[in-house]
Every structure is written in structure tokens, then in C-alpha cells.
Amino acid sequence: MDLFKVCEDLENVDGLHLIFKIIRGIILLNSPQIFEKIFGDDLIMDIIGCLEYDPEVPHVHHRDFIKDHVVFKEVIPIKDPVVLSKIHQTYRVGYLKDVILPRGFDEAVVANLNSIIHSNNSIVISLLKVDNTFIKELFVKLKSPTTTIESKKNLVHFLHEFCTLSKSLQMVQQLQLFRDLVSEGIFDIIADILQSEDKKLVLTGTDILILFLNQDPNILRSHVTRQDGVLFGLLVKNMLTDFGDDMHCQFLEILRSLLDSYTSGLQRDTIVEIFYEKHLGSIIDVITSSCLSNGDGQIGSNSISADGGSVNQIRVKPEILLNICDLLCFCVLHHPYRIKCNFLLNNVIDKILYLTRRREKYLVVAAVRFVRTLISRSDDHLMHHFVKNNLFKPIVDAFVANGDCYNLLNSVVLELFEYIRKENLKVLLRYLVDTFWNQLAKFESLPSIHALKVKYDQSLESAGTRSTGSLLDQRKRIDERALDKEEEDYFNEDSDEEDPTSAQKPQPPVLANGSSHPSPRSGGLVDYDDDEDDEDYRPPVKKTTKDEDEGVAEFRLKRSKEEPELKMSQRPKKILKTRDGVFAALCSTLSQAVIPGKKAATAAFNNPQSDAEKNSVEPVVEEKGSISSSDESKKEMENHRNNEEASPKSLTDGLNDTATDNGQQRDDCRLLSTKSSTEMAVNGS
């Protein structure tokens, strides 16, 4: 640095250019130890002087600018020398990075310099935060009514910079700092700032609020609820005020953050209640007043009284009206439960559609977008409100007035119609086509309009089909009920009285042993595997020849010896008649078959029968039991009685004799044909 001063005194330009290259090379080493040395208070100004002599650019006096033009404003005296040193060093390092050598450093050097600046800011804020005297003195001056306007501006700017630099702190320390500032009354100071006539000062206060919202929105919400919405009302008022610098966008973002429904709690509900009860009317009043010159006189009479309809509201900027529509769309999405009680009862939708009368196309688009947001809620009550008040008329009129111009208004209206068609909102679909088709017919060449008409026709056809189908279904239901009634009556009444054929059904057959065994099955020639029913079943004896009659007589004789005569005499006549009918039926059935000879028939009778064969006999007996011949029945009964008196042999002996005769004649006689139905009835095959 001494050599630099000598060369500068001697005006040795070549030496100064060489020193510039040396200093720049030292900085490019990117060493934190070197930075700590050269950016100290002793060398920083000489380093800046060396960097003034860049051979590629004209000579610029950076030291004169820093000493003469840069003024350090100390609104509150800072007594800590470390804080002052870090503040000056931070500014000079930033000046070196951004002004002196903006293109001479690589990314690594720039990142290291930014790290130094960030570290210095953290040290400054930490040291000022722990200084309670400094913070209290700052807020005392801000609240003092004797503070001049200029001093107050400097204090507000310092407070804003203090809050901005707090981002360099850790999150916990930053949150603690903001809570300390709230306890000192920073929101009361901001409320006072928002009422100032200085627009730049209002902008600074708005930036401070945004910093608090980014850190923790609940801090601001808790204050708004405690102050009964005083600060909230100022935010709404300033959003409707023309500051000339698009500041209403910042107020819109703050209101959105406060009204956000994704945050839960009593604070948010209180703020929403304050907004709808106290400030929604003034917002709608701005829209109706701004459309007075383009509408009829009824607008002012129907408007919600807010500020009396001043001239400023009538001449409000279109950008503010656009922000109002955005805020209302936000409210519809986040507070749908407020639509019926706040939007429908106060005719808010009608008044927002006054924007379709404005010349600015983007305001008309904003009004259509608001309607589209409402329809997306799919509320039937809301849709009937649209139909009842004919709220689509201004939208259709604006669309027709736009003509064939392919612009944003054309697209947003077609998108609205397309949404109604795709979501099949039948109430709005029929309302649109029935009411406005004469106006929309000339746009039928557009796919969306044509599809809307096709959907309308389909809905009418489906409605007609549904009505016809309902009549048919009603008749069908009547027939079904009648059928059910008949079935119910059938099962409720006595079966003997209901079914006339039941009296004609044959009684269960009485077997040869005198016991009756009704069959649980009927209708098939072959039945299988029913052991439970066939355990005690004995097939009836078929009398086909004289030898067979003798065997049956012996069986009856054995049975008569086992039973007392008294019991036989007391047996009901009905059973005897049934037994007689069984024998008559068997004889009648077998007499119709073609039997080759007595021996062959006897052999067929004496073959062992399987269970399946036994089962097959029973249905045949039931079916054929009703066929009888009176002459044959009497003849059989006489033969039976004669054999019962004359033959002392048993049934077993008779069967053995018959089997012997059958064995002798087996080779001489041929059995029944396999195709004979009589053999199938006997053998079950």
C-alpha cells in the first residue's frame, strides 16, 4: 500500500496498472484470511484506490464517491463500535462486488463475498437485538407526536431495513425478534403509517407487513382480532385507493394471506367474519359506482352503502377492479359457505356483472371468470338463482357483441359453455338454449356451441325416454305385485281345497308285508343313491304267472300267522282296497308286455335286485297304481284266498322252487328284450 501511494503521488500510470493486476490477483485467490485482512478498516480504502486504475476502463474516483457522497444516517445513535465497523465493511464489500469489479470475479469469489456480507448482517442484527435500550428508543421516537415527518421517514426506513436484515438470522432467532417487535407495538406504528399521505411511506409499511406474513401469518392475525379489525380495514381501504405504483397488488396479497382457509383456528374465522360483515359492501360499492356512467340509474340505488359513493370510487383504476374480482374469486373458492348468505342475498353477482358494461375487455373477462368460479361449486340453489334472475344475459350479450373476434373474451365464454356441457349441468344447459338460442344460433359453426345444442337435444330425448320408461316400470310393478298376491294366496290357503287334483292322487301303496311306504320321489325311471329312504324298503311282488301266485300266497300265509286275526280284522278297508289296487296294477302292467314263457318271466322275477332297481320300481307303482281292472282284481283275490288255505309252504320254499325251475329252463328260454319298457320298469335299467 505504501508503494501504491508513491506511484499515485508520482503519477506512475504503468506502476498503478501493475499494482491493479496484483491486487485483483490477490482477491481472486479467494482466501477468507486474505479477505479478513484486506477488508479491514485500515486497508479497505487503499484496496479500493488500487482497483480504480483498471487499464481496460477509464479512471473512476470511487474513493471520492464513498467519502463525499455516501452518507451514513444514524437515526438512533449506535454506541457499539463493532456494529458500526461491520455496517461500514458490509457496504464497502458490496460496493466492491457490484460497482468496481462486477465482471472481474468468478462465481466462487462472488459467493465468498456474499457470505461475508451475510455474516456481517447477522452480527449487526444480533448485537442490536440484545441492546434493549436501542430498541426502546427506536419505538419511543416512532410513537412520539413531536417527531418530524423527515425523522419519522428515516425511522420507518430503518425499521424496514432492520426487519429485512433479520432474514440472516436463524429461524428461531428471527421468530423471537419479530415477537419482540410485536410486543413493542410495531403493528400500531404500521397502522399509523398506512394512514399517511406519503405513498412511499405507505409502501414501506406494507413491505414490513409482508415480512411478518412470510415469517408467521398468525402473528398478524392475532393482532387483527385483538384490535377488532382496525388494521384490516386500513388494508381494504388502501387496496381500493390509487397510489399510482400498483401498490394495490401488495394489499391484495396481504388480504389473501389473512383470509386463507387452509389455516385453521378461531383467529381466521374472526377475520373472515370481519371481512364479510364490514368490508364486503364497500368493495362491491366500488364496482357499482365505477359502472354508473355506463349503466342506468338503478345501479346507485341498489348498491350497498359504504363510503357514500365518492368521485374517487367512480373513477377508480381498472386494475383495482381487476384485483377486486380476483379477491372475490378467492373468497368463493375458500369460503363457499358464505355464498348463499352474502353473495345471493345481497345481489353481489348481479353487481359484479356490471363489469360487462365496461370498455376494458379484461374486466369483462374478469366478470365471466367470477361466474365460472361460482358455477364450479355445483350448487343447485346457486344455479336456480342464475336462472331466476337471468344472470347469463350480460355474458351472452357481451359474447354476441364481441362477434367473430377471436380474443380472450371469446375463449373464456366458450370455455364456460363447454364446462356446462361437460359437467352436464342440466338446469343451466336448458336455461341457456331455451333463452338465448336465437342469439347463439349464428355461432353454431363453433364446436362448443354446436356441442351445447347437441347435449341439449340429448337431455330432452333422455327425459322423454325416462318418462316413458317410468310408466312401463309402473305397470310392470303393478303386474309383479298382482303375481305376488296370487302366490301369497296360494300358500296361505289349504292345499286340499286349493288343488283340485290332490283328491284324485293315489294313496301310497301298501307293500306285501302290510306296511305302507310312500316314495319321496316321482317322475323319473332311474333314481340313485338314497340309502336313507331305501333302508326298510321292500319291493312289491309282481304276479305274472301261476308259480308267482303260489309264492305270493305262501308269503301272505307266513304274514298272516305272525299277526293276530283281531288286528287283521280291525285293519281299515281303505288299506285293503289299496293293496288290491296294487296287485291289480302290477298284473295289468305285466299283462301288456310280451312275455316269452312262464319260466323266463319267473327267472326275471327271481333275479337279485340292487338298490337302484328297488328304487326304480316305486315310481312305476305310483304312476301305474291308478290303472286297474275290476274283473282281474276279483279273480286275483279269489286265488289268493284259496292258496292261503291250501298251501302249508312258506314263501322261501316257493321262491327256491321257482329259482330251481328257472335254472333248468334258463338255456331254453330267452329273456325280455332290452328295449322293452316293461323290463326297464322292473329292473330299473
Side-chain angles (χ1 to χ4, degrees):
M1 292 298 101
D2 295 336
L3 181 59
F4 165 71
K5 294 177 182 179
V6 172
C7 291
E8 189 175 28
D9 292 339
L10 298 176
E11 296 182 357
N12 185 356
V13 179
D14 295 335
L16 293 173
H17 289 171
L18 183 60
I19 292 173
F20 168 80
K21 294 179 181 179
I22 294 173
I23 296 299
R24 187 178 65 177
I26 292 173
I27 296 175
L28 290 176
L29 292 175
N30 196 20
S31 174
Q33 292 80 10
I34 295 177
F35 288 156
E36 185 179 358
K37 182 67 176 178
I38 64 177
F39 293 152
D41 294 339
D42 298 335
L43 298 177
I44 183 63
M45 294 304 295
D46 293 335
I47 294 296
I48 293 175
C50 294
L51 296 176
E52 291 178 358
Y53 294 95
D54 189 352
E56 298 179 359
V57 297
H59 181 252
V60 180
H61 301 279
H62 295 293
R63 288 172 293 177
D64 296 340
F65 176 79
I66 293 174
K67 292 178 180 178
D68 300 335
H69 298 282
V70 175
V71 179
F72 176 64
K73 294 182 179 180
E74 197 173 5
V75 292
I76 301 295
I78 300 175
K79 302 175 182 179
D80 192 345
V82 177
V83 175
L84 292 174
S85 175
K86 293 297 181 180
I87 292 174
H88 294 309
Q89 186 186 50
T90 301
Y91 177 80
R92 291 164 184 172
V93 172
Y95 185 85
L96 174 66
K97 177 177 68 73
D98 299 331
V99 179
I100 300 176
L101 293 175
R103 295 180 301 273
F105 299 143
D106 56 12
E107 294 181 358
V109 175
V110 172
N112 209 344
L113 295 178
N114 289 332
S115 177
I116 293 174
I117 295 173
H118 185 274
S119 177
N120 289 343
N121 290 334
S122 178
I123 293 173
V124 170
I125 297 300
S126 298
L127 293 176
L128 292 178
K129 181 174 69 71
V130 298
D131 190 355
N132 295 328
T133 305
F134 177 82
I135 298 295
K136 290 182 179 180
E137 187 177 356
L138 172 64
F139 281 95
V140 166
K141 287 189 175 182
L142 284 170
K143 296 178 181 179
S144 176
T146 59
T147 305
T148 61
I149 298 177
E150 189 65 25
S151 299
K152 191 170 185 178
K153 288 181 181 180
N154 294 332
L155 291 169
V156 172
H157 288 299
F158 174 80
L159 182 61
H160 174 259
E161 188 173 2
F162 183 77
C163 295
T164 304
L165 294 179
S166 64
K167 295 179 180 179
S168 59
L169 297 174
Q170 295 182 358
M171 187 59 65
V172 177
Q173 297 178 354
Q174 185 178 355
L175 183 60
Q176 184 62 41
L177 174 61
F178 279 19
R179 290 177 178 175
D180 293 340
L181 294 177
V182 171
S183 62
E184 294 291 339
I186 188 172
F187 287 135
D188 296 333
I189 295 172
I190 293 176
D192 185 54
I193 293 172
L194 294 179
Q195 301 179 37
S196 175
E197 297 180 358
D198 190 349
K199 296 180 180 179
K200 292 184 178 180
L201 192 63
V202 174
L203 178 61
T204 305
T206 307
D207 292 337
I208 296 174
L209 283 179
I210 293 176
L211 290 173
F212 274 86
L213 285 175
N214 294 335
Q215 176 62 33
D216 188 4
N218 291 326
I219 297 177
L220 182 57
R221 289 194 184 99
S222 60
H223 175 78
V224 171
T225 54
R226 286 198 305 268
Q227 298 297 324
D228 197 18
V230 176
L231 181 60
F232 191 86
L234 292 174
L235 294 173
V236 174
K237 180 180 178 181
N238 288 334
M239 186 190 72
L240 305 177
T241 305
D242 182 15
F243 286 94
D245 296 326
D246 295 335
M247 291 174 53
H248 42 269
C249 296
Q250 294 180 337
F251 291 108
L252 175 63
E253 292 301 323
I254 296 174
L255 292 175
R256 278 182 173 180
S257 180
L258 293 175
L259 295 172
D260 190 1
S261 63
Y262 294 115
T263 59
S264 59
L266 182 61
Q267 298 176 355
R268 192 260 304 175
D269 297 337
T270 305
I271 294 175
V272 170
E273 188 71 23
I274 292 173
F275 172 75
Y276 283 100
E277 295 297 331
K278 296 184 178 180
H279 306 292
L280 181 62
S282 61
I283 293 176
I284 302 302
D285 188 43
V286 173
I287 295 179
T288 55
S289 300
S290 64
C291 299
L292 266 175
S293 58
N294 297 330
D296 50 18
Q298 295 180 353
I299 299 176
S301 61
N302 293 334
S303 62
I304 302 174
S305 60
D307 296 338
S310 62
V311 178
N312 292 332
Q313 290 177 325
I314 295 176
R315 297 181 181 179
V316 68
K317 290 181 64 175
E319 291 80 6
I320 296 177
L321 298 176
L322 183 63
N323 288 331
I324 291 175
C325 287
D326 292 340
L327 180 61
L328 293 177
C329 291
F330 177 85
C331 293
V332 169
L333 293 176
H334 288 262
H335 315 130
Y337 54 90
R338 288 282 183 174
I339 294 176
K340 294 181 180 179
C341 58
N342 294 100
F343 283 79
L344 300 185
L345 296 179
N346 298 326
N347 294 327
V348 173
I349 304 174
D350 310 35
K351 296 170 184 176
I352 293 175
L353 288 175
Y354 291 154
L355 292 174
T356 56
R357 306 172 183 176
R358 299 277 302 204
R359 293 178 299 175
E360 297 85 0
K361 295 295 183 183
Y362 57 88
L363 290 180
V364 182
V365 171
V368 177
R369 188 170 66 250
F370 174 74
V371 173
R372 168 69 172 79
T373 307
L374 282 173
I375 293 177
S376 65
R377 305 308 306 174
S378 300
D379 188 351
D380 293 337
H381 182 73
L382 183 63
M383 294 178 188
H384 286 293
H385 178 80
F386 273 96
V387 175
K388 179 181 178 181
N389 295 276
N390 197 19
L391 295 181
F392 269 85
K393 185 178 186 306
I395 297 176
V396 175
D397 292 342
F399 177 74
V400 174
N402 187 59
D404 297 330
C405 296
Y406 185 70
N407 50 19
L408 188 59
L409 175 60
N410 180 276
S411 299
V412 73
V413 175
L414 291 179
E415 194 276 334
L416 176 63
F417 294 160
E418 191 71 11
Y419 177 81
I420 294 174
R421 181 187 68 85
K422 288 183 178 180
E423 297 297 326
N424 196 20
L425 305 178
K426 296 181 181 179
V427 176
L428 297 181
L429 180 65
R430 296 178 182 178
Y431 161 66
L432 277 175
V433 178
D434 292 342
T435 308
F436 305 107
W437 183 246
N438 293 333
Q439 297 174 268
L440 298 176
K442 61 181 180 181
F443 300 100
E444 193 173 2
S445 59
L446 298 175
S448 299
I449 302 297
H450 178 70
L452 188 72
K453 185 64 167 62
V454 171
K455 188 69 174 179
Y456 171 77
D457 296 337
Q458 292 176 354
S459 65
L460 292 181
E461 292 176 1
S462 63
T465 304
R466 191 180 300 108
S467 61
T468 305
S470 63
L471 293 176
L472 295 176
D473 294 340
Q474 185 176 4
R475 294 175 182 175
K476 184 177 180 181
R477 286 194 296 269
I478 293 175
D479 295 340
E480 290 177 353
R481 286 196 295 270
L483 182 61
D484 295 340
K485 183 67 166 56
E486 293 177 0
E487 293 178 355
E488 184 177 357
D489 294 341
Y490 172 78
F491 287 109
N492 289 336
E493 292 180 1
D494 189 5
S495 60
D496 294 337
E497 298 177 359
E498 178 67 23
D499 191 357
T501 62
S502 61
Q504 301 176 3
K505 289 184 180 180
Q507 296 295 330
V510 179
L511 303 181
N513 59 1
S515 63
S516 62
H517 186 81
S519 173
R521 299 179 302 275
S522 64
L525 293 177
V526 181
D527 292 332
Y528 297 98
D529 297 342
D530 197 351
D531 298 336
E532 183 179 355
D533 296 354
D534 298 336
E535 288 178 356
D536 299 330
Y537 176 74
R538 296 178 182 178
V541 180
K542 306 171 184 58
K543 183 173 180 57
T544 58
T545 62
K546 185 177 180 180
D547 296 335
E548 257 182 301
D549 293 339
E550 293 176 357
V552 172
E554 292 175 356
F555 176 78
R556 290 294 302 161
L557 180 61
K558 182 178 180 179
R559 182 65 179 170
S560 62
K561 290 179 179 181
E562 292 176 358
E563 295 181 358
E565 294 182 358
L566 180 61
K567 186 176 181 180
M568 292 293 294
S569 62
Q570 294 178 353
R571 187 171 297 172
K573 295 181 179 181
K574 183 176 181 180
I575 298 178
L576 293 175
K577 291 181 180 180
T578 304
R579 187 187 309 119
D580 298 339
V582 170
F583 284 108
L586 288 173
C587 293
S588 176
T589 302
L590 296 176
S591 65
Q592 296 177 5
V594 180
I595 304 176
K598 295 181 180 180
K599 300 296 181 180
T602 307
F605 174 77
N606 290 314
N607 285 335
Q609 290 182 334
S610 63
D611 293 339
E613 292 172 344
K614 294 178 181 179
N615 294 339
S616 64
V617 173
E618 181 183 352
V620 176
V621 173
E622 282 192 77
E623 293 176 0
K624 300 296 182 177
S626 61
I627 303 173
S628 63
S629 174
S630 61
D631 296 336
E632 293 178 357
S633 176
K634 294 177 180 179
K635 183 178 180 179
E636 293 295 332
M637 290 297 297
E638 291 176 357
N639 293 333
H640 171 67
R641 291 173 183 173
N642 294 330
N643 293 332
E644 201 174 42
E645 295 174 357
S647 177
K649 294 187 298 181
S650 65
L651 177 63
T652 307
D653 298 333
L655 292 176
N656 292 333
D657 295 338
T658 307
T660 304
D661 296 337
N662 184 28
Q664 294 175 358
Q665 299 295 331
R666 183 173 298 173
D667 297 332
D668 298 333
C669 299
R670 182 174 56 88
L671 297 176
L672 294 174
S673 175
T674 57
K675 295 182 180 181
S676 174
S677 61
T678 308
E679 183 185 3
M680 293 177 65
V682 174
N683 296 332
S685 172

